[in-house]
Amino acid sequence: MSEIDLQGVHDTLVSIAFEAGRMILAADPNNIPQGIKKNTVDLVTEADQAVERMVYSRLCTDYPNCEFVGEETYVAGETRVTDAPTFIVDPIDGTTNFVHGYPHACISLGFAVCRKSVVGVVYNPFLDILYTGIQGKGSYMQRSAAQTTPNQKQRLPLAGRGDAQAAPALQGLGKALVGVEWGSDRQGNNFDVKVGVFQRLAAAKNAAFSEQPTPPTAMVHSLRSLGSAALNFCAVAAGQMDCYWEGGCYAWDVCAGWCILSEAGGFVASGNPGDWDPALDSRLYLAVRGAPSGGKELVEEFWSVIGDSGKMVYEH
Ligand code: IPD
Ligand code: CA
């Protein structure tokens, strides 16, 4: 395939995001037909499916030679993210919020080449906030879909006014606002690891534990859950969260946000200790905001709180 015009991909994805936003807002909040997938907290609505059909049909028309991976058409064990240019799409990320009328849900549209995210578009129609990123061209937040002139877009990270080197220094977990999510696995090893890490992140430095030796604690400023992996990634890209730790979500939850974060000077390590270069579909992520120091020390500190025995295991 000849070289792909990433600006053209971006423009197409922004247009699709706004169309999806209109569809999502058209749903009657008092009557959202819904079903369950893996269990009673893993929800799908008619809007998720209708938006994915629209996205697929538009991308097939405009980019017939690219691959497509979407949450609602994914088949476990069959659908793979390959090296081919691929659109990786979550029609509604934050479906639980959508069902409850909690206004943090978005469409997440990513484009990956050789399994690396090179374009990301995330649009929250409830708050009318658009996040975008293109490899090598920076990432942006735009407060209204109606505002399209360049000077109405704010380059990320916000605190560094678009320059990660000018962003405030990271000051360790003890001064960090940390994104986490419960996810939809509510029993077993992965759930136990999450609950333990949440506790140690929040606990006072001298908190008493029955475990011996006492595991490291962090006493972070606080934990936050936006209920959407894509929006958590964008909050880290913007510098509103210092990092976001996740296990269990999929490539469509993170692909768009990954490009937006990288272009804001941040990076993604694995949610399990030891891997600095996790795959797009590894299902384990620790996203860190842009900062003058680069942020590796925050990852090391986070991994020490997880500890050696706390690895999560997910099928790819
Ligand atoms: C979920 C959200 C949530 C994450 C879950 C995802 P969905 O996506 O991104 O933040 O913790 O793992 O499944 O179901 O709303 O598309
Ligand atoms: Ca979804």
Side-chain angles (χ1 to χ4, degrees), residues 280-295:
L280 192 52
D281 57 356
S282 65
R283 306 190 62 195
L284 288 153
Y285 314 99
L286 176 56
V288 179
R289 73 167 169 85
S293 64

Side-chain angles (χ1 to χ4, degrees), residues 71 90 92-96 181 183 227-229 232 244 246 248-249 253:
E71 175 172 10
D90 189 343
I92 301 180
D93 189 40
T95 300
T96 304
E181 291 288 341
S228 152
N232 285 324
Y244 165 47
E246 174 69 89
C249 65
D253 296 305

Side-chain angles (χ1 to χ4, degrees), residues 88-137:
I88 303 182
V89 170
D90 189 343
I92 301 180
D93 189 40
T95 300
T96 304
N97 290 342
F98 173 58
V99 162
H100 287 268
Y102 186 67
H104 295 278
C106 62
I107 175 160
S108 174
L109 299 163
F111 183 61
V113 177
C114 294
R115 302 171 205 242
K116 298 288 178 197
S117 177
V118 293
V119 180
V121 169
V122 171
Y123 179 53
N124 175 346
F126 299 98
L127 301 183
D128 196 15
I129 297 181
L130 175 73
Y131 298 92
T132 59
I134 304 175
Q135 186 181 56
K137 291 192 174 176

Side-chain angles (χ1 to χ4, degrees), residues 15 43 95 108 110 127 166 170-171 181 206 220 236 265 277 300 312:
S15 159
L43 306 177
T95 300
S108 174
L127 301 183
L170 285 162
Q171 297 180 70
E181 291 288 341
N206 58 357
V220 298
V236 176
D277 188 22
E300 303 272 17
M312 298 180 286

